[in-house]
Amino acid sequence: MIKSYIKYFLFLIILLFSKNVFAQIPDYKERSYSVFSDSNDTENEKLLLMEATEGSIDPEAYLMGPGDKIFISILGIQDISSTLLVNQEGILYIPKVGSVDLNNLNLKTAKEKIKNKIFQYYKDVEVSVSLADFRKIKVSLIGQVKKPASYTLTANARLLDLISLSNGFLKEANYRNIKVVNNNDNTKYYDIVKYLRYADKNNNPFLHEGDVVIVDKVDLMVSISGEVKFPGSYEFIENEKVIDFINLSGGLLSKAKKDTIEVVSFEPDGKNQISHYYSLDELTNNNIILKKQDQVIIRKYPDYLEDKFVYIEGFVKYPGYYKIVEDKTTLTQIIKESGGLREAASLFDASLTRNIGSITVDPEFERLKTIPRADMSDDEYDYFKAKSRQRKGKVVIDFVDVFEKNNVREDITLKKGDVIFIPEKKDYIIMLGQVIKPGNIVYDKNLNYREYINLAGGYGWRALDNQVRIIRANTGEWVEADEDIILQPGDAIWVPEDPPGKSFWELFTTSLSVLGQVASVVAAIVAVIIVSR
C-alpha cells in the first residue's frame, strides 16, 4: 500500500515537472507588453482611452449602425443644417425628405445615399454630409484572457483597443491566430503581432456590433534563430510563407548568410527531422510554406564586418582604441602606435585583460559563496579567497621584461577586445591600520616593513605588532610581514588592531547580575533548610 502511494506521488512530481519544463510557450518580446498583461489603469482611464480617435475615419472601412450621429448641411435659397441620429433599426430620418436605410453600409456609401435622397426633394443646392459622432457597440472577448466579458466600445475601436481595455491575456494565449466571429457567423483570423511589428492595419481591424473575439490556446509553434532582428519561438499559422515569417522576425541582419537559409522540418512520421536549404531569392520568388514545428536557421558570414580593436588606457601618449591584425599585431607594436609610454607609466603594475573566453562559471566558487565561513573547511576557505582575488581575463605577462629587458618571448600577439592598462607609478608605500601616522610614505627600496612603520610614527596604542600583513599592489595578495620581504611601490602595510576589552561599566553590571542570581539561589536553599526543620 505504501509503495503504491510513493509511486503515485512520484508520478505527480514528474507530471508537474514535465508541464513546467516542456510546455511550449512562444518567447518573442511582444508577449511581455503591458497591453497584454495586467494594467494599472483604472476603468475610467481605459474608457477615456476608448473615446480617443486615431485621426480621420476611413469612409470605406467604417460601417454605419444604430446610434451614429450624422451632420447634414443644405445650402441654397434657405440654409438648413442639423445633426440627426440613426435609429435602432439603422434608419436615418431627414426632416422634409424622409427615411434612408443605412444598414450594413459603409460611411462612403451612406453619404452618397443620403445626398441622392436629398436631391430628390431639393434642387440647385449644395449638400454636405459627415459623421458627427460615433455610436457605442458591444463586443465580447473570450478564451485565453484574464477577464472574459462583454465590452462597450466606440464604433471606431480596433482589435488592439479591446485588448487594451481588458485585463490582458493568459500566458498560453495565441496572439497570432485571434478569431473574430461577426453577427452573421462569418469568421476571420488576425495576427496582432504583424500589427505590432510593422503596423499592418489589416491585422488590427475595426470591431463591429456583436463581434465575438476568441483568443485560442497555443498549440503548434515554429521558431527562427540566428541573424534576424527578433529570433525566437512563434505561434504556427497555416499557409504562412517562410519569407513572411522571416519578415515578421524583423528581417535579416547585415551579417546574415543569404545563400544557405536552413529550414528544419519533421518528416511525415513526426519523428525524424530533415533539413532543406534555400537562398533568400528562392524564398522570395517561390511559394515555400512553413510546416508545423519548423525551425528556420540563419547563419552569419564568419569574420564579416567584425571590428578588431584593442583598447589602451592609462599612461601612454595617446590612449584609446587601436585597430589590430588579430594574432599578428604584438603588444610592443601597439604601444608604439599609441605614442609610447609616458614618463610616469608603471610597467610593474601594468596589465593586459583578455575578454575572449574569460566568462566562465566555476560551480565550486558559486557553491562556496552560499556557505558561511564557519561551515567551510580550511582548504575550501583558501580556495574561496584565491578565487575572490582572481582578476577575470588577466593575462600573465611581465611588462618589465617586455619593455625594459626586450624579452621577445613575452611580447605576445593581441586579440580583439584586449584591454591594456598602463597605470601611473606609485612611488610610495601605503600605511594602514594602527600606526601613529597612517598615509603614504615615499618608496625606498632599501627599507623593510619595520622601518616604514617607524617612519609612520611607530605602532599605535592597540596595534598587534606580531600580526602585520603586506598587501601586494599587483596581485592583492596578503602575506605575513617579514624583514626579508622586498617591498614594491604601491604595496600596503596593514597593522591590525587588538579589539578593546569590556568597559568597567559592562563588567560592573555583569558582576551585579551574577551576584544577584547567586543571592537568589542562596536564599532559596536557606528557605528549603528552614522548612525542612
Side-chain angles (χ1 to χ4, degrees):
M1 188 70 177
I2 295 174
K3 287 184 178 180
S4 63
Y5 278 120
I6 293 173
K7 287 181 180 178
Y8 179 69
F9 180 69
L10 290 173
F11 171 75
L12 286 177
I13 292 175
I14 292 170
L15 185 63
L16 290 171
F17 179 81
S18 63
K19 282 185 177 180
N20 290 331
V21 174
F22 300 110
Q24 289 189 327
I25 302 296
D27 56 5
Y28 50 87
K29 65 185 181 66
E30 281 80 3
R31 296 182 71 88
S32 64
Y33 283 4
S34 60
V35 71
F36 299 112
S37 57
D38 288 324
S39 174
N40 294 324
D41 295 338
T42 65
E43 291 301 318
N44 288 335
E45 288 173 332
K46 291 177 180 178
L47 290 172
L48 286 173
L49 177 65
M50 294 300 104
E51 298 289 344
T53 68
E54 57 182 24
S56 300
I57 289 296
D58 182 356
E60 295 185 6
Y62 185 83
L63 293 181
M64 301 297 297
D68 281 331
K69 293 180 181 180
I70 302 295
F71 175 77
I72 298 176
S73 172
I74 304 173
L75 301 179
I77 297 174
Q78 182 181 3
D79 295 345
I80 301 172
S81 62
S82 56
T83 299
L84 306 173
L85 184 70
V86 180
N87 69 20
Q88 294 304 308
E89 295 181 356
I91 306 297
L92 180 71
Y93 177 76
I94 306 173
K96 299 182 181 181
V97 173
S99 329
V100 183
D101 186 353
L102 302 181
N103 274 303
N104 298 318
L105 298 182
N106 63 31
L107 179 58
K108 180 180 179 181
T109 305
K111 289 166 71 174
E112 292 173 353
K113 190 171 183 180
I114 292 169
K115 287 181 180 180
N116 291 335
K117 185 75 173 180
I118 292 173
F119 286 142
Q120 293 177 8
Y121 293 89
Y122 292 92
K123 305 297 181 182
D124 301 323
V125 294
E126 182 180 336
V127 178
S128 176
V129 180
S130 62
L131 181 67
D133 200 3
F134 306 109
R135 68 187 183 280
K136 300 289 185 180
I137 63 172
K138 182 171 281 189
V139 297
S140 298
L141 178 65
I142 60 176
Q144 296 297 305
V145 294
K146 293 181 179 177
K147 188 180 178 183
S150 293
Y151 293 87
T152 300
L153 310 171
T154 54
N156 68 327
R158 292 182 180 268
L159 176 59
L160 191 61
D161 297 324
L162 174 64
I163 295 169
S164 301
L165 187 62
S166 71
N167 279 6
F169 290 171
L170 298 177
K171 67 178 182 178
E172 301 91 355
N174 191 327
Y175 293 18
R176 301 195 63 210
N177 290 279
I178 297 177
K179 184 178 180 181
V180 179
V181 182
N182 66 15
N183 276 334
N184 298 321
D185 289 331
N186 295 322
T187 299
K188 291 185 177 180
Y189 289 88
Y190 298 96
D191 181 353
I192 200 67
V193 180
K194 286 185 178 178
Y195 176 73
L196 296 173
R197 286 282 167 90
Y198 40 78
D200 178 7
K201 288 191 175 181
N202 292 326
N203 280 286
N204 185 29
F206 285 112
L207 298 174
H208 304 113
E209 178 68 37
D211 280 352
V212 179
V213 179
I214 305 170
V215 182
D216 202 357
K217 189 173 184 179
V218 175
D219 179 17
L220 298 169
M221 301 197 326
V222 289
S223 63
I224 187 165
S225 60
E227 296 302 297
V228 290
K229 292 179 182 175
F230 306 109
S233 299
Y234 294 78
E235 299 91 332
F236 170 73
I237 292 182
E238 291 283 354
N239 298 317
E240 183 174 29
K241 295 180 182 179
V242 174
I243 188 63
D244 292 337
F245 184 43
I246 291 173
N247 291 333
L248 179 74
S249 67
L252 303 184
L253 297 175
S254 58
K255 298 180 182 181
K257 201 170 186 292
K258 300 176 183 177
D259 57 347
T260 51
I261 296 173
E262 183 180 3
V263 180
V264 182
S265 305
F266 278 95
E267 292 184 340
D269 62 5
K271 295 179 180 179
N272 301 311
Q273 290 177 294
I274 187 171
S275 292
H276 302 277
Y277 296 90
Y278 306 95
S279 68
L280 183 61
D281 288 340
E282 286 178 302
L283 293 175
T284 303
N285 299 321
N286 296 284
N287 194 30
I288 299 171
I289 304 298
L290 276 172
K291 295 186 284 297
K292 302 170 184 176
Q293 301 299 124
D294 273 2
Q295 297 181 47
V296 181
I297 303 170
I298 300 168
R299 296 178 173 84
K300 67 178 179 179
Y301 287 105
D303 300 325
Y304 180 66
L305 295 178
E306 285 193 9
D307 295 330
K308 292 182 175 63
F309 287 94
V310 297
Y311 186 70
I312 307 175
E313 57 179 325
F315 278 69
V316 293
K317 192 170 184 179
Y318 305 110
Y321 288 97
Y322 286 86
K323 175 183 65 67
I324 64 166
V325 178
E326 200 166 28
D327 294 326
K328 288 187 178 179
T329 304
T330 64
L331 177 61
T332 54
Q333 288 172 343
I334 209 66
I335 293 296
K336 184 178 180 181
E337 190 175 340
S338 69
L341 300 168
R342 291 165 59 184
E343 186 176 348
S346 172
L347 290 173
F348 181 78
D349 297 316
S351 63
L352 171 64
T353 303
R354 180 154 293 166
N355 295 315
I356 296 176
S358 64
I359 302 175
T360 56
V361 177
D362 183 341
E364 179 65 10
F365 182 58
E366 296 300 319
R367 182 185 71 85
L368 291 175
K369 285 197 292 187
T370 65
I371 298 176
R373 167 64 183 99
D375 296 336
M376 293 184 193
S377 67
D378 290 340
D379 287 343
E380 286 177 330
Y381 185 59
D382 289 342
Y383 181 77
F384 180 76
K385 288 193 297 182
K387 287 294 292 185
S388 299
R389 287 197 294 262
Q390 182 183 4
R391 294 171 59 184
K392 288 187 177 180
K394 183 179 179 181
V395 178
V396 178
I397 178 173
D398 191 331
F399 279 75
V400 176
D401 267 8
V402 174
F403 290 95
E404 291 186 357
K405 300 179 183 178
N406 297 319
N407 188 340
V408 177
R409 287 183 298 179
E410 288 279 344
D411 190 13
I412 65 171
T413 56
L414 301 173
K415 293 185 178 293
K416 66 177 182 180
D418 284 353
V419 177
I420 303 164
F421 177 53
I422 312 291
E424 184 181 10
K425 286 180 181 177
K426 296 177 182 177
D427 291 327
Y428 52 83
I429 296 293
I430 304 168
M431 305 303 299
L432 302 172
Q434 291 299 304
V435 291
I436 300 299
K437 294 183 288 184
N440 297 338
I441 296 178
V442 176
Y443 174 71
D444 185 339
K445 65 180 181 180
N446 296 316
L447 300 181
N448 60 33
Y449 84 95
R450 291 188 185 278
E451 291 168 320
Y452 279 109
I453 291 174
N454 290 334
L455 289 174
Y459 292 108
W461 179 41
R462 294 189 177 276
L464 291 173
D465 56 1
N466 61 341
Q467 295 185 24
V468 179
R469 298 291 184 267
I470 308 295
I471 305 171
R472 291 299 193 183
N474 197 28
T475 63
E477 180 186 11
W478 289 44
V479 296
E480 189 174 345
D482 188 282
E483 292 184 1
D484 294 332
I485 290 179
I486 299 175
L487 296 170
Q488 300 292 343
D491 285 351
I493 299 173
W494 179 61
V495 180
E497 178 184 8
D498 185 13
K502 290 186 178 181
S503 65
F504 170 78
W505 179 250
E506 287 178 309
L507 290 172
F508 179 71
T509 54
T510 302
S511 300
L512 284 180
S513 176
V514 172
L515 289 173
Q517 293 173 3
V518 171
S520 298
V521 172
V522 171
I525 293 171
V526 170
V528 170
I529 292 172
I530 293 173
V531 170
S532 63
R533 287 181 179 178

